[in-house]
Amino acid sequence: MPIPRSLFCADDPVDHELSVVSGEWPPELSGELVLSAPHPDTFGGPHPFFGDGMVYRLSLSAGTHGAPTGGFAWRQRRIESPSARLRALRPDVFTSTMVGIQSPFGHSNAANTAPLPWGDRLFMTWDAGRPVEIDPVSFDYLGEVGHRSEWKDFEVAPQPLLPMVLSSAHPVIDPDRNAMWTVNTHWGQLHVVRWDGDGALRSWPVAGATIPQSVHTITQTRDWLVIADCAYKVEPQVLTGGERTEPANADAPVYLVRKDALDATPVGQEVACSVFRIAPEVNHYYADYDDSDGIRILFEHTESAELAMTQRSDDLDAFGRPCDPALAGLYGFPMAPDRLTTVVFDPATATVLHRDELRDPELLWTRQLNAMDWSTEGRCAPTLHHTVHQGFRPEAITQRMLALYGDRVDRSLFPAEETPPLLASMNTDDMCLTGHHEFAMDDFPTSPIFVPRDAGSDPTRSSYAGSDPGGHDGFVVVPVVNDDGFRVEVFDAHDVGRGSRCTIAERGMTLPFVLHSAWMPRAVSSSEGTGVRFSDELDRIDELPDDLAQVARQVAADLDDRVPMASRTAPR
Ligand SMILES: [Fe+2]
């Protein structure tokens, strides 16, 4: 069965009310499922990752946020950032490219990749733009993190108002410092960035740390930040529509930076790092917060997964069949079976102390995304890691991608036919699979979350923690796309192999392509802003023609009228 075509439905999303269609909703399951996604109005363009940021929120307690008794509120909105507002007013000057949406204003900040909760605050992130804060209830835009002048932007074409900031879609929140850590890559030089929730950014170049490709993720332990080069390769000629000539790099440097070194180094001065190399290629990786016995990192390898290259209507698929034009623009699915490893590093001796691996070429293909216990307690001592896999999907692998990777792809591992999607759980101690659930061939499970069973019940723990943290005591909630209707399935985290214990849905509802998800224990309106106003970033407005300058002034005035001002401070 094919990949659901409803993934690429370009209709404007709308709100829904879901209700139980099978099983019984666990009464101890609560909080909010938040999803990031590109608005579908750019599907059919050169890449599905670049539409304006959308936020979707599913309330996991029936009858809340405007839902009727027994109903689960599904709410959505396009994030009305300066980029999205400018594009809405002058769509004629915006162009979709392989690296995002460009315009005379600059590079749109899509803010469409991952929700990043920080207590009750909510940020939406992207690799090529600043994190954007929104109100978790109304989804109102509250501001971008850091004044433009505090970031090093990547300006190869004029960007008078919208800078391309090469950052990370996965910053981390430091529970000991109550601060956000992220990165800013500038012409290959890695900088670490710290932001304390308001006021100015602090940033440090990392000595000798170059990024050959990009940084999608950063992760942290109590004492260290860990930053790997990620397998999303943008060759210069691709910026102007040229063909790829090289595959993503087969291995990557991993930089480890001590947090206390950052604490002690004046802003702007170099900080030292330790360097390791990791292979095969990676995009997502997660360190245990407790580093007393070494730095343990779970790497979700993206071996021969060509995310930066998309399908064309005249392509042939992995089996030599003509690709369906309906999938034009779809990124490349993995050409190798999934591989996950845990690696323990000793930064003092620059050695790898231990390595475990999970790889099952018959079962695990096309890992999509993961679910884990994100509480500080859960990150200190993780127990189970949960992943969603789409199965082997030859229609999403093109002959052009296979030719680019050549001998790096072992085609003898290809199953004879498509394999089903899965939800899998693995023990983080030894990477052994503890259970899996098989979905129907025409399902497309996406963006799962872990929800602790009794979050907040123990006042001595953090608000995101249950009474038994780690990822086993609670639920895995999985949104499932299917052309016959979207649904959300609930699994017991300790035993996903028993299958779904409850399903909610609404007749006729479909869901277009989405990216990462996150869980929040509650959604309360935010009165905080990030301290930066678009109207404070208009110093280069005179570079624009008069008609576009007028549009920018209108957007700035509209945002000044709408965004709460009480907590705002001028950029330092
Ligand atoms: Fe990601």
Side-chain angles (χ1 to χ4, degrees):
M1 295 292 287
I3 294 166
R5 288 349 188 207
S6 52
L7 280 171
F8 307 100
C9 174
D11 293 349
D12 255 340
V14 296
D15 289 350
H16 294 277
E17 319 293 340
L18 283 67
S19 54
V20 172
V21 295
S22 71
E24 196 167 321
W25 190 261
E28 64 272 43
L29 174 54
S30 65
E32 309 286 323
L33 163 66
V34 185
L35 286 156
S36 272
H39 192 283
D41 63 6
T42 53
F43 291 176
H47 202 293
F49 284 177
F50 300 133
D52 294 338
M54 287 288 303
V55 54
Y56 299 92
R57 193 192 71 231
L58 172 67
S59 299
L60 303 176
S61 296
T64 61
H65 291 286
T69 303
F72 295 84
W74 176 273
R75 303 290 178 257
Q76 55 69 44
R77 192 168 158 193
R78 188 196 302 250
I79 300 166
E80 294 182 341
S81 65
S83 299
R85 285 169 177 261
L86 290 168
R87 182 163 167 252
L89 291 171
R90 287 300 302 269
D92 55 308
V93 300
F94 284 77
T95 306
S96 294
T97 76
M98 281 300 286
V99 291
I101 298 180
Q102 318 280 358
S103 75
F105 301 106
H107 188 79
S108 276
N109 183 356
N112 66 14
T113 304
L116 176 67
W118 184 352
D120 282 335
R121 298 175 74 174
L122 179 59
F123 296 81
M124 309 302 271
T125 67
W126 193 40
D127 291 308
R130 293 172 281 180
V132 165
E133 184 170 13
I134 63 171
D135 184 307
V137 176
S138 67
F139 306 141
D140 279 345
Y141 168 83
L142 297 178
E144 294 184 57
V145 169
H147 190 269
R148 171 184 185 164
S149 61
E150 299 174 310
W151 295 88
K152 297 182 187 308
D153 51 29
F154 187 72
E155 187 168 359
V156 290
Q159 299 168 352
L161 299 188
L162 302 178
M164 177 192 268
V165 173
L166 298 179
S167 184
S168 164
H170 300 292
V172 286
I173 305 302
D174 186 325
D176 293 318
R177 291 166 177 77
N178 193 30
M180 178 191 292
W181 294 108
T182 188
V183 300
N184 186 186
T185 307
H186 192 238
W187 293 104
Q189 170 65 51
L190 176 65
H191 299 253
V192 170
V193 174
R194 171 176 169 164
W195 185 60
D196 288 357
D198 62 11
L201 300 183
R202 282 180 269 176
S203 142
W204 300 263
V206 182
T210 55
I211 298 297
Q213 298 171 113
S214 55
V215 177
H216 182 62
T217 303
I218 75 170
T219 188
Q220 66 177 339
T221 71
R222 191 178 308 281
D223 294 330
W224 294 84
L225 296 176
V226 181
I227 301 153
D229 180 49
C230 292
Y232 193 97
K233 186 169 213 159
V234 178
E235 293 178 280
Q237 74 279 5
V238 173
L239 301 176
T240 51
E243 296 283 347
R244 282 282 296 279
T245 59
E246 293 181 357
N249 297 354
D251 70 345
V254 182
Y255 301 110
L256 280 65
V257 181
R258 278 198 72 90
K259 292 178 178 175
D260 59 7
L262 293 160
D263 293 340
T265 303
V267 168
Q269 292 192 13
E270 279 192 339
V271 64
C273 66
S274 302
V275 188
F276 297 85
R277 292 199 77 84
I278 189 78
E281 54 267 45
V282 297
N283 272 294
H284 295 126
Y285 46 92
Y286 309 95
D288 291 7
Y289 196 69
D290 181 2
D291 54 11
S292 50
D293 292 325
I295 297 174
R296 187 171 77 151
I297 307 171
L298 190 159
F299 289 97
E300 294 184 343
H301 296 276
T302 46
E303 189 172 353
S304 301
E306 191 34 73
L307 294 171
M309 198 168 167
T310 56
Q311 193 173 124
R312 297 178 189 155
S313 55
D314 60 351
D315 270 321
L316 299 177
D317 77 5
F319 289 166
R321 305 169 300 193
C323 288
D324 184 344
L327 296 182
L330 179 64
Y331 59 92
F333 280 22
M335 297 173 276
D338 292 328
R339 187 192 302 264
L340 299 98
T341 58
T342 53
V343 180
V344 181
F345 296 102
D346 178 0
T349 58
T351 53
V352 173
L353 302 175
H354 186 76
R355 182 183 177 113
D356 288 308
E357 179 170 291
L358 171 60
R359 188 167 182 257
D360 186 335
E362 292 186 2
L363 198 63
L364 299 178
W365 282 82
T366 319
R367 184 191 53 258
Q368 185 86 359
L369 294 165
N370 58 54
M372 69 190 89
D373 183 347
W374 276 101
S375 68
T376 303
E377 295 83 349
R379 292 311 308 148
C380 277
T383 55
L384 288 183
H385 188 75
H386 310 279
T387 49
V388 155
H389 306 251
Q390 302 306 343
F392 176 62
R393 295 287 168 160
E395 66 177 333
I397 298 169
T398 68
Q399 291 292 329
R400 278 189 304 121
M401 294 166 191
L402 286 165
L404 188 68
Y405 278 71
D407 292 344
R408 275 172 59 179
V409 175
D410 181 355
R411 301 189 193 200
S412 72
L413 294 175
F414 284 5
E417 54 189 14
E418 294 173 322
T419 62
L422 299 174
L423 170 64
S425 300
M426 60 218 67
N427 191 330
T428 58
D429 276 344
D430 55 13
M431 295 309 286
C432 286
L433 206 60
T434 61
H436 71 273
H437 169 76
E438 193 174 303
F439 291 91
M441 287 298 298
D442 58 351
D443 283 336
F444 194 92
T446 186
S447 302
I449 53 167
F450 170 79
V451 183
R453 184 171 48 81
D454 50 3
S457 62
D458 182 345
T460 67
R461 296 181 184 275
S462 66
S463 62
Y464 278 69
S467 56
D468 191 7
H472 60 283
D473 186 31
F475 308 94
V476 180
V477 179
V478 186
V480 184
V481 173
N482 185 296
D483 283 343
D484 290 336
F486 171 72
R487 65 187 194 275
V488 178
E489 296 200 358
V490 176
F491 299 82
D492 282 319
H494 70 276
D495 190 5
V496 301
R498 285 175 56 190
S500 165
R501 61 181 281 180
C502 185
T503 301
I504 60 175
E506 184 191 37
R507 183 181 295 274
M509 175 183 174
T510 59
L511 180 69
F513 178 72
V514 298
L515 291 165
H516 285 275
S517 59
W519 174 75
M520 299 180 78
R522 61 179 189 170
V524 295
S525 201
S526 176
S527 62
E528 303 191 63
T530 62
V532 174
R533 300 185 308 179
F534 184 55
S535 57
D536 289 330
E537 297 194 333
L538 300 184
D539 50 299
R540 290 175 55 185
I541 197 168
D542 291 344
E543 295 177 28
L544 290 168
D546 288 346
D547 59 328
L548 298 185
Q550 180 54 35
V551 167
R553 287 192 189 92
Q554 179 185 337
V555 166
D558 290 347
L559 284 167
D560 282 351
D561 286 344
R562 285 189 60 90
V563 179
M565 297 293 293
S567 66
R568 289 190 175 280
T569 54
R572 285 179 252 158

